[in-house]
Amino acid sequence: VQLQASGGGLVQAGGSLRLSCTASGNIFSINVMGWYRQAPGKERELVAVIGSGGLTNSADSVKGRFTISRDNAKKTVYLQMNSLKAEDTAVYYCNIQGRRTMLASTRDYWGQGTQVTVSS
C-alpha cells in the first residue's frame, strides 16, 4: 500500500492550499483517513481525521479554517486549508487505517509528507 500526497507549497498568510492523498496498491478496506503535521523541533500532531462514514474530528487550532473530506471511490483524502497562518508551517503527512485483505489486521499506513510553508 502506498500513499501519494500532493498540494503542498509556499503561500502567504491568509491564503489557501488544498492537500490530496491517494492510496494505491492492494488494500481491501480503509477505515479512518487523516492528516498529521510536524513542525521543526516539534512532535507530530493530529490535524484532522475522517471516518468511513464521514464523521470528522480536528485539532482546535485548525477548527473553522481547515476542512477534511474523502472520496472513497478514489481512495483519496483531502485537506482544504484556508486562512493559513505562519504557525501552520510544517510537513503534512497523510495517514490511513486499513486492511490489505478481509482477514488481515487493521494497520496504519503513512504518506511521504508534503511541505507547507506559510510566510507572514
Side-chain angles (χ1 to χ4, degrees), residues 9 15-16 20-21 24 42 59 80 83 87 89 96 111 114:
S16 298
S20 300
C21 178
S24 62
K42 295 187 178 181
Q80 178 65 44
S83 302
E87 51 263 43
T89 295
I96 68 168
T114 184

Side-chain angles (χ1 to χ4, degrees), residues 13-34:
S16 298
L17 284 174
R18 189 191 193 211
L19 305 183
S20 300
C21 178
T22 299
S24 62
N26 187 19
I27 186 159
F28 174 74
S29 66
I30 299 174
N31 186 8
V32 179
M33 306 181 83

